[in-house]
Amino acid sequence: EELLFRGIVLPAFASRPHEWGAVLLSALMFGIIHLDVTPDQQVTLYRVPLTPRGSGDRPLLVNAATTFFMVGVIWFVQIVHYPLFSRVGEAAFSEYERHHARRTGWVVAVPMLLELGTAIAMVWVIGGALAWCGLSLLAVAWVSTGLWQVPAHRRLEGGFDAVIHRRLLKTNWVRTVAWSARGIIACALLVAHR
């Protein structure tokens, strides 16, 4: 948790004039993933009741929506965005990469954390192989992000490097496949719990 929130989330949002906002957003995200959800309690996450049955459709919908959002983002990144890094130009690349990393963080942080929170809640409340498989695939995407994509972006902040760029393109397929498979599982969960 320390590595995630102090090492990745906080620096991704921190900028001189808005450091307090990064601290508040990081704290909010930390709180969201630490909700205590038990089957005999009703906990509310963004006005979404998490209960064993019935109103449990709403977390499924939030999870599906955030997963589908991330599927769209990851395919755009894989097919359009990352390949175009090589066309930015070496003189402007470092600054471009710093801005890219910060702004991308603002776009994906909340959906990723909502997806994580609802995926954990579904394993806890609904259970079953589909929920566990979905959470496992999400873990693969997050681990890939931490092990390969974030370090590659950090290295690229020092300037464009064709070897690192190729590695980023290749290793990002892990996230692309994981999130795409999560999209299929999200559909299956929606159908199974109609």
Side-chain angles (χ1 to χ4, degrees):
E1 291 175 352
E2 289 291 320
L3 176 63
L4 174 64
F5 286 96
R6 291 188 184 188
I8 297 172
V9 173
L10 187 59
F13 295 117
S15 65
R16 280 282 181 230
H18 303 293
E19 287 177 347
W20 61 269
V23 171
L24 290 175
L25 186 58
S26 177
L28 174 67
M29 292 176 183
F30 183 84
I32 288 171
I33 72 161
H34 284 89
L35 286 174
D36 185 22
V37 180
T38 59
D40 58 338
Q41 292 178 320
Q42 179 173 339
V43 175
T44 303
L45 172 65
Y46 286 93
R47 301 183 190 268
V48 178
L50 302 172
T51 57
R53 296 280 178 238
S55 60
D57 290 348
R58 291 189 204 141
L60 285 169
L61 294 173
V62 171
N63 186 262
T66 55
T67 298
F68 298 149
F69 175 81
M70 290 308 300
V71 169
V73 167
I74 202 68
W75 276 100
F76 175 80
V77 166
Q78 184 66 38
I79 302 300
V80 176
H81 192 59
Y82 281 174
L84 290 176
F85 275 19
S86 63
R87 300 199 180 255
V88 172
E90 289 191 32
F93 190 82
S94 289
E95 184 176 353
Y96 170 83
E97 176 60 26
R98 280 192 297 277
H99 288 288
H100 158 265
R102 190 176 73 242
R103 290 177 182 191
T104 300
W106 282 105
V107 171
V108 300
V110 172
M112 285 178 70
L113 288 169
L114 280 172
E115 181 185 31
L116 177 62
T118 55
I120 291 169
M122 286 191 301
V123 163
W124 187 257
V125 175
I126 296 169
L130 282 175
W132 276 105
C133 187
L135 182 59
S136 298
L137 286 165
L138 189 57
V140 168
W142 279 66
V143 168
S144 174
T145 300
L147 287 180
W148 294 316
Q149 284 74 48
V150 169
H153 282 289
R154 295 280 186 251
R155 296 221 16 221
L156 289 170
E157 284 179 3
F160 184 78
D161 180 324
V163 172
I164 300 299
H165 180 241
R166 280 192 302 277
R167 186 178 310 145
L168 180 65
L169 284 166
K170 287 179 184 176
T171 60
N172 195 58
W173 278 110
V174 173
R175 294 192 304 180
T176 304
V177 169
W179 259 306
S180 297
R182 271 195 53 75
I184 294 167
I185 288 175
C187 289
L189 281 166
L190 287 171
V191 170
H193 293 278
R194 286 190 307 155

